[in-house]
Amino acid sequence: MTKAGKTVLIVDDEAPIREMIAVALEMAGYECMEAASVQEAHAHIVDNKPDMILLDWMLPGTSGVEFARRLKRDDLTAELPIIMLTAKGEEDNKVQGLEAGADDYITKPFSPRELVARLKAVLRRATPQGIEEPIDVGGLMLDPVCHRVTSHSSPIDIGPTEYRLLQFFMTHQERAYSRAQLLDQVWGGNVYVEERTVDVHIRRLRKALGESHEHLIQTVRGTGYRFSTKAS
């Protein structure tokens, strides 16, 4: 293995694009695997367990977006980071990709340097540093070791981005953060995501927390959001 020790699965039906990406990533110290279809990609995931997937939006048969949804629904692959590769620059497609569970998206054509920067940021977020001890706030428990969130001992179904957002909030309580600060802390500084994406994930986090705990995520008018046990 290379010193980076990270394996990236490139899923694209165009061989020249796969080759171009593989060359750039191998020069940056990553191991690469390639797949031309969802079926081939799934076999690689089962057999080789890559650290990340670069997934083309348009694929023959099953689309990349549908495959991303499938991976995020499966407990074995739910935490696998995904960057969507798309020629579609329209806003709704980007949001659709994020809604499907992708950690980031990058629009073709892109520079290899930009791709490597995005990939590093997503991998960094996928392996957070820091807390090992469970955190409990009024019956809301986050266990960083087994990656679980419970409400009064009942499991909460929460997506990977919402988990990272909640983990950041619970380790940085009672302070207001702007959307830009949250993007930097939770998504990573090199990620090109619109600030309103934060609002989408805040809404989903509140929904996941339910009536017992949604009040902990407070909107701070003119600033952003904070996690607080005090009344806003």
Side-chain angles (χ1 to χ4, degrees):
M1 280 296 254
T2 59
K3 66 179 181 192
K6 297 287 186 182
T7 307
V8 181
L9 173 59
I10 305 159
V11 189
D12 195 305
D13 59 327
E14 296 182 53
I17 291 177
R18 292 199 309 272
E19 192 175 336
M20 183 265 293
I21 293 171
V23 167
L25 294 186
E26 283 165 4
M27 283 177 69
Y30 296 93
E31 292 274 325
C32 291
M33 296 181 286
E34 298 181 29
S37 68
V38 163
Q39 290 75 13
E40 207 180 323
H42 193 261
H44 271 302
I45 292 165
V46 171
D47 295 340
N48 303 310
K49 297 182 174 53
D51 296 297
M52 158 168 280
I53 304 178
L54 295 179
L55 179 59
D56 190 37
W57 177 290
M58 298 293 285
L59 288 167
T62 308
S63 73
V65 171
E66 183 48 47
F67 187 45
R69 282 199 189 97
R70 199 191 303 167
L71 292 172
K72 293 299 178 181
R73 280 196 300 263
D74 186 335
D75 287 346
L76 294 174
T77 52
E79 298 299 321
L80 189 56
I82 299 171
I83 294 181
M84 297 292 301
L85 303 174
T86 173
K88 299 164 179 278
E90 296 87 352
E91 200 63 30
D92 59 335
N93 288 318
K94 292 176 180 178
V95 172
Q96 197 183 337
L98 292 168
E99 289 283 341
D103 296 79
D104 198 4
Y105 55 83
I106 184 165
T107 307
K108 299 174 184 175
F110 48 80
S111 72
R113 191 174 163 196
E114 181 189 8
L115 177 65
V116 169
R118 299 276 196 103
L119 187 127
K120 281 181 179 168
V122 170
L123 282 171
R124 196 169 58 238
R125 300 198 309 268
T127 50
Q129 303 297 309
I131 61 159
E132 293 290 316
E133 294 299 312
I135 314 165
D136 189 335
V137 178
L140 177 66
M141 169 90 77
L142 183 143
D143 188 333
V145 176
C146 60
H147 238 253
R148 285 205 182 100
V149 180
T150 54
S151 171
H152 304 294
S153 301
S154 298
I156 291 177
D157 186 22
I158 190 167
T161 302
E162 287 73 43
Y163 176 89
R164 290 195 304 270
L165 197 52
L166 182 61
Q167 185 176 31
F168 176 76
F169 274 139
M170 290 181 81
T171 51
H172 299 80
Q173 297 180 34
E174 307 297 342
R175 181 183 158 185
Y177 288 91
S178 68
R179 289 168 182 81
Q181 286 173 319
L182 289 171
L183 278 176
D184 195 45
Q185 295 291 334
V186 178
W187 276 258
N190 289 319
V191 179
Y192 305 84
V193 179
E194 286 81 5
E195 289 191 4
R196 68 190 185 85
T197 302
V198 175
D199 301 331
V200 172
H201 288 287
I202 289 282
R203 195 162 62 243
R204 280 155 62 173
L205 176 56
R206 282 176 173 152
K207 189 176 176 184
L209 294 180
E211 289 182 14
S212 300
H213 305 292
E214 62 182 356
H215 65 279
L216 295 169
I217 312 291
Q218 299 175 359
T219 301
V220 183
R221 292 199 183 282
T223 304
Y225 299 97
R226 78 171 154 240
F227 183 95
S228 176
T229 54
K230 300 166 187 167
S232 57

